Amino acid sequence: MSRKIFIIAGEKSGDNYGGILCKELKKLRKDIFIFGIGGNEMEKCGVNLIKNFPFGQMGFTGVLKKIFAYLKFLKKVVKKIREEKPDIVIFIDNPGFNLEVAKRLKGKFKTIYYIPPKIWAHNYKRIEILRKYINFVIPIFPFEKEIYKKENIPYRYFGHPFIDLIKDREFKKFNNGKIKIGILPGSRKEEIEYNLPIMKKIVEKLKAKFEFDVLISCSDKNFKKYIEKIFRNFSEFKIIEDLHFLINNSDLILTVSGTVNLEVAYFEKPMIVFYKTSFLNYIFAKLMVKLNMISPVNIIVGEKIIPEYIQFFKIDSVIENAIELVKKGKLYEKEMLCFKKLKEILKEKGVSKNIAKFIIENVERIH
């Protein structure tokens, strides 16, 4: 009997993980039909997508600007699920939207939440929504296991799927002898608009200290135009589509906080992490978020090793850390030890493959 699965992934990272999961599901079942919400990666895997999801809004104000589009799309999604009657609905990250869909489905469909809300960071009361409307949870941080065990919510931990994004391959090198500073400004419009200008100021100040080239990560044509505009008066910069090529060719990475920090850590490249948003979003996040760390690398190892610069900070402090990392000083050594510890914690392989196998084998048992 063929299987019908609905998957909702509303962010770029969710689309990446959704794409790998769909690929693994289709390897296991040729007769599987997957439809839902996602981006290019899920579409490449043959997922039948519901188009025009208002992707990539950053923070409270970003969502508020498109609230009517969200509500309209929400109704469309719930209606589609009710019409298609999938065997299971899989939510990936994106809790603001996904939890609302789950509530409106009213427990009438089997559900899995893969990459559940970060209730340990803020809004712990969402645990009650998970308890009421989600049948099974697949967390990706090792310390989350204790939360779901304590709350008596069915779960299984397979590892963090970021490892599945990394393919074993040789990377060509830029051989002009210069130091390379990589910039990862984010994948959302607001993220890039708030973080890239400050990153540019940092590399401009660093230019007075030593010579280097700048490599900027971007695969979206619209964002490329914005980057070129911001860096139009800056010599020696290249826009690179291949993220892992950029990371491997960089001597230092300036990056926004997020899953990409784990990818940088995997390749053992020194980094400095940034988070900058609108003033209202910052105040809202400060009131809501309970953590004193933002990078998943620091969160997972349980110690603030990677320098983090949030909203208001002195550029001179960033410059000092950047120079120490490039010169491979004490901070560099600390980061390298941190990366080794992280790899030991997140040592599971084939995470997406194992999750896909679990889903296929347990659809009937989940309730």
Side-chain angles (χ1 to χ4, degrees), residues 212-248:
F212 58 87
D213 291 339
V214 172
L215 310 177
I216 306 170
S217 173
C218 182
S219 57
D220 188 296
K221 288 179 183 177
N222 296 318
F223 294 163
K224 279 181 185 177
K225 290 175 185 175
Y226 176 75
I227 291 169
E228 286 166 352
K229 180 183 172 185
I230 292 293
F231 274 78
R232 64 185 177 276
N233 298 323
F234 192 92
S235 60
E236 305 300 330
F237 79 92
K238 290 182 175 68
I239 296 174
I240 307 289
E241 289 190 19
D242 187 332
L243 172 64
H244 296 153
F245 173 80
L246 181 152
I247 294 171
N248 267 273

Side-chain angles (χ1 to χ4, degrees), residues 50-91:
I50 302 174
K51 300 286 188 178
N52 303 318
F53 180 77
F55 264 106
Q57 298 306 307
M58 187 179 180
F60 176 73
T61 59
V63 173
L64 205 57
K65 285 175 188 173
K66 292 201 171 184
I67 188 67
F68 294 111
Y70 265 89
L71 291 173
K72 184 179 178 182
F73 195 78
L74 177 65
K75 290 178 182 176
K76 184 179 179 181
V77 170
V78 172
K79 184 182 177 187
K80 183 71 174 175
I81 294 170
R82 286 172 178 162
E83 287 172 352
E84 293 287 344
K85 295 180 173 57
D87 295 296
I88 197 157
V89 179
I90 301 171
F91 300 100

Side-chain angles (χ1 to χ4, degrees), residues 246-258:
L246 181 152
I247 294 171
N248 267 273
N249 272 281
S250 298
D251 299 286
L252 170 66
I253 302 280
L254 307 180
T255 174
V256 294
S257 65

Side-chain angles (χ1 to χ4, degrees), residues 279-291:
F279 181 71
L280 278 177
N281 278 338
Y282 171 68
I283 294 299
F284 185 74
K286 200 164 175 59
L287 290 170
M288 295 288 291
V289 178
K290 296 178 286 188
L291 297 179

